[in-house]
Amino acid sequence: MCGIVGYIGDKQAYPILINGLKRLEYRGYDSAGVALLNGKVDVYKCKGKVADLEDFIGKKPIDSKIGIAHTRWATHGEPNNVNAHPHYSQNNDLAIIHNGIIENYASIKKELINRGYVFESDTDSEVLIYLIEDIQKNEQVNLFEAVRIALNQVIGAYAIVIVSKHEPNLLVAARKGSPLVIGVGKGEYFLASDASPIIEYTKHVVYLEDEDVALIKKDEPLVVKTVKNKDKTPYVQELELNINQLEKGGFEHFMLKEIYEQPKSIRDSFRGRLNLEQNLISMGGMIEYEHKLKNAKRIIIIACGTSWHAGLVGEYLFEDLARIPVEVEYASEFRYRNPVLSEDDIVIAISQSGETADTLAAIELAKSKGATIFGVCNVVGSSIARATHAGAFTHAGPEIGVASTKAFTAQVTVLTLMALHLAQSRGTISTTRFHEIITELNIIPEKVEKTLKTSSQVKEIAERFKDVANFLYLGRGYNFPVALEGALKLKEISYIHAEGYPAAEMKHGPIALIDEDMPVVFIATNRGTYEKVVSNIMEVKARKGKIIAIVTEGDTEVKELADYVIEIPETEEMLVPLLATIPLQKLSYHIAVKRGCNVDQPRNLAKSVTVE
Ligand code: M6R
């Protein structure tokens, strides 16, 4: 979603800002802009990509050592030149960039209009900068104070950075509900929505907390206060990120690179946690809440999108192995219900970005009801990682492609570790069985590697079906969430309508869709329900549907029936999602490429969904 970049120091700001925006392109956006300070505030902005902004700026004056820049993902007002950020204040003395939503903008705007202000855009962000200017004018305060006072009047979420013509030696930034990181260099500061634009300049960062307001001056220490005017000591952390992780590394797209990184990301997610010699799993984050986790009456998993699918795999894992009842909830629904929660409940919040607004709000709700919240996050320092009581990072490394791939398999890996650990501590698994599963998990990266190699026929399948209008994905048990994930991957990057269903549900409705033009992907690796899936395949075949089947190596029965077959190595049933997902990711990737779609930045989508 929207991306923020800011710079203050001795270097030219423009190249830093533009490079920063390019690093944030993966978040998804529809317009871009910069504001540069040089005696006055120059704002350049336009609809389209960062490259369009560069063309638009062309030879316009860009000499400045202080500036802010933004990529906007439209919420209030269509994507156009006027609604793009930065926004000027009424008299053009200030400019703001803003992520998030000011919920009470309409009433503030009305009040300002009554007082003679004239607005140019449809955005809530413009309202905020007008309000700040109005406060400065009426209360005769400096920019920092005006921002602080204004933020006490707004309801909603924000990450903002402001420049002022009258205070040309500083930036003011603040956050609530939307992320903002400040990179601390030598006599200079870098601001961004996440660390990716900062890492090439400094490893030292401060993550602003909710309701922090920061005064940023070059050559001076950072000053942070709360909106309620309490002093805070900024906590400088060292980033573990490395710049190569943010490059494509020879791959055509980030998504493809990330698909191929899965042997490593899965291994990194269990490295140091899985101990074959001692036959145990140790997870630092679980130690403090061991007693609560062990005695949990119920686990509630909250997440969105792909992370929700990982949560569904988690449901099967926790129930199968640890015998704890599990409910998996869309965070967006959970937060607006009146869920029944108690102190005996464990809530597991899953999020790659750690910034998903609905998941964050669901966490706050569950916390308020006394539940213990365990986070499974990929981004260290993210809002969700900080909002939870305890947690385990997924160690997938930065995921840049909007379509989640390696984050999913890393989440499933961590949930597998958690379920196994709980099973052992609750005595619901034998020592031998535990050892069998962790031994197999330990060699899963090699099997993922093999799956990546052997699924070469995926390209041929992609060519055959790239122009169809619909796809159906069917699976049972552990493969049902895989079917959902396969369908989501296809629709988000290729814009082909795709549905995932439990295979046996097909006859209750989706079977009506089957004709000779309908490809149906079956994940047919199950042991217990294999024959039943075979029957479902027969039902599709009888209606001339085209069958693409993911099967276990050596399978003969489904091979006979299917039009196309992709083999994956044999493994434990509960670990199949880690393998079966791979060819589905590749299938959607190749179809999207063949359709000429923007794989890494699909239309309308954002990588971290920081608005509800
Ligand atoms: O960062 P999160 O895991 O919280 O994001 C949740 C969803 O927005 C995300 O998984 C989304 O569905 C992806 N685009 C799927 O590929």
Side-chain angles (χ1 to χ4, degrees), residues 544-557:
K544 299 195 168 42
K546 299 290 171 292
I547 293 154
I548 302 160
I550 313 283
V551 299
T552 311
E553 254 170 7
D555 176 285
T556 49
E557 203 173 338

Side-chain angles (χ1 to χ4, degrees), residues 262-412:
Q262 288 174 105
K264 177 175 183 312
S265 51
I266 292 173
R267 186 175 283 112
D268 286 348
S269 293
F270 67 65
R271 191 194 304 279
R273 292 168 168 167
L274 191 158
N275 187 331
L276 281 181
E277 287 74 44
Q278 293 179 32
N279 205 30
L280 57 84
I281 283 163
S282 49
M283 299 179 82
M286 290 178 87
I287 295 169
E288 196 186 338
Y289 289 88
E290 184 79 45
H291 181 74
K292 280 221 152 198
L293 285 160
K294 186 177 164 187
N295 297 300
K297 296 266 178 299
R298 189 171 62 142
I299 292 176
I300 298 160
I301 298 178
I302 49 176
C304 302
T306 288
S307 299
W308 185 80
H309 297 155
L312 283 182
V313 179
E315 176 178 23
Y316 287 89
L317 287 162
F318 284 111
E319 294 198 342
D320 238 9
L321 294 167
R323 310 302 299 146
I324 306 175
V326 180
E327 286 163 29
V328 188
E329 304 262 3
Y330 284 115
S332 54
E333 285 300 310
F334 181 84
R335 63 179 288 193
Y336 286 115
R337 286 215 327 267
N338 186 9
V340 180
L341 280 164
S342 78
E343 288 184 5
D344 294 331
D345 289 327
I346 294 289
V347 171
I348 300 178
I350 308 173
S351 175
Q352 186 286 129
S353 63
E355 301 295 346
T356 302
D358 284 320
T359 310
L360 202 49
I363 289 170
E364 295 306 338
L365 175 72
K367 258 186 180 171
S368 73
K369 292 182 182 278
T372 300
I373 324 289
F374 196 91
V376 176
C377 278
N378 194 39
V379 179
V380 178
S382 60
S383 304
I384 292 176
R386 284 179 295 138
T388 46
H389 294 110
F393 285 109
T394 42
H395 301 307
E399 192 180 64
I400 310 289
V402 162
S404 190
T405 52
K406 62 175 180 170
F408 174 77
T409 45
Q411 288 164 345
V412 171

Side-chain angles (χ1 to χ4, degrees), residues 6-261:
Y7 176 74
I8 182 165
D10 284 328
K11 299 189 177 85
Q12 280 297 316
Y14 180 71
I16 294 172
L17 298 174
I18 290 289
N19 286 342
L21 290 185
K22 286 182 181 163
R23 290 261 182 239
L24 294 179
E25 281 193 300
Y26 78 95
R27 295 167 72 90
Y29 70 104
D30 37 52
S31 59
V34 295
L36 297 163
L37 202 60
N38 201 356
K40 60 185 183 16
V41 182
D42 287 325
V43 169
Y44 308 121
K45 55 184 185 173
C46 65
K47 183 180 168 185
K49 295 291 175 191
V50 177
D52 299 317
L53 176 68
E54 286 182 283
D55 287 347
F56 171 72
I57 292 175
K59 301 221 165 353
K60 295 186 175 74
I62 48 166
D63 180 33
S64 170
K65 291 174 179 171
I66 303 182
I68 56 179
H70 191 264
T71 46
R72 171 176 187 253
W73 188 86
T75 56
H76 293 61
E78 63 177 272
N80 61 25
N81 297 348
V82 177
N83 290 330
H85 294 216
H87 288 285
Y88 275 127
S89 59
Q90 180 85 90
N91 61 14
N92 290 9
D93 286 352
L94 310 176
I96 189 171
I97 49 174
H98 167 222
N99 292 358
I101 292 179
I102 306 299
E103 288 170 13
N104 59 339
Y105 84 102
S107 59
I108 300 173
K109 188 171 183 174
K110 203 166 154 206
E111 176 66 32
L112 291 168
I113 289 172
N114 288 342
R115 301 226 292 277
Y117 285 88
V118 180
F119 287 86
E120 297 205 339
S121 78
D122 304 318
T123 66
D124 49 336
S125 317
E126 192 184 26
V127 174
L128 180 55
I129 195 68
Y130 276 40
L131 175 67
I132 291 166
E133 185 171 85
D134 187 63
I135 291 170
Q136 268 202 290
K137 208 162 68 188
N138 293 331
E139 306 202 16
Q140 297 292 306
V141 288
N142 61 24
L143 179 64
F144 183 84
E145 262 310 283
V147 170
R148 198 189 61 71
I149 295 167
L151 294 178
N152 278 289
Q153 296 178 28
V154 304
I155 300 168
Y158 51 78
I160 54 170
V161 191
I162 298 166
V163 284
S164 164
K165 173 181 149 184
H166 299 296
E167 292 172 76
N169 58 342
L170 57 87
L171 293 170
V172 176
R175 78 152 271 178
K176 182 182 177 190
S178 287
L180 194 54
V181 191
I182 302 176
V184 184
K186 289 206 175 80
E188 60 185 352
Y189 291 98
F190 306 82
L191 292 95
S193 302
D194 64 45
S196 56
I198 295 176
I199 186 68
E200 54 202 278
Y201 308 106
T202 176
K203 284 204 159 224
H204 302 287
V205 295
V206 172
Y207 289 93
L208 289 188
E209 306 269 341
D210 273 352
E211 304 207 331
D212 280 355
V213 191
L215 178 64
I216 305 147
K217 290 183 173 179
K218 94 178 172 75
D219 293 325
E220 288 191 24
L222 198 61
V223 174
V224 180
K225 289 188 177 199
T226 68
V227 293
K228 299 277 178 260
N229 211 15
K230 284 213 174 78
D231 289 332
K232 289 190 69 173
T233 308
Y235 171 57
V236 182
Q237 304 186 31
E238 189 157 338
L239 289 172
E240 280 178 19
L241 203 63
N242 120 26
I243 191 75
N244 296 333
Q245 294 174 298
L246 304 174
E247 310 285 352
K248 285 190 199 143
F251 284 88
E252 206 181 325
H253 297 98
F254 280 110
M255 181 180 177
L256 193 61
K257 176 187 174 222
E258 286 155 10
I259 289 173
Y260 275 85
E261 278 174 349

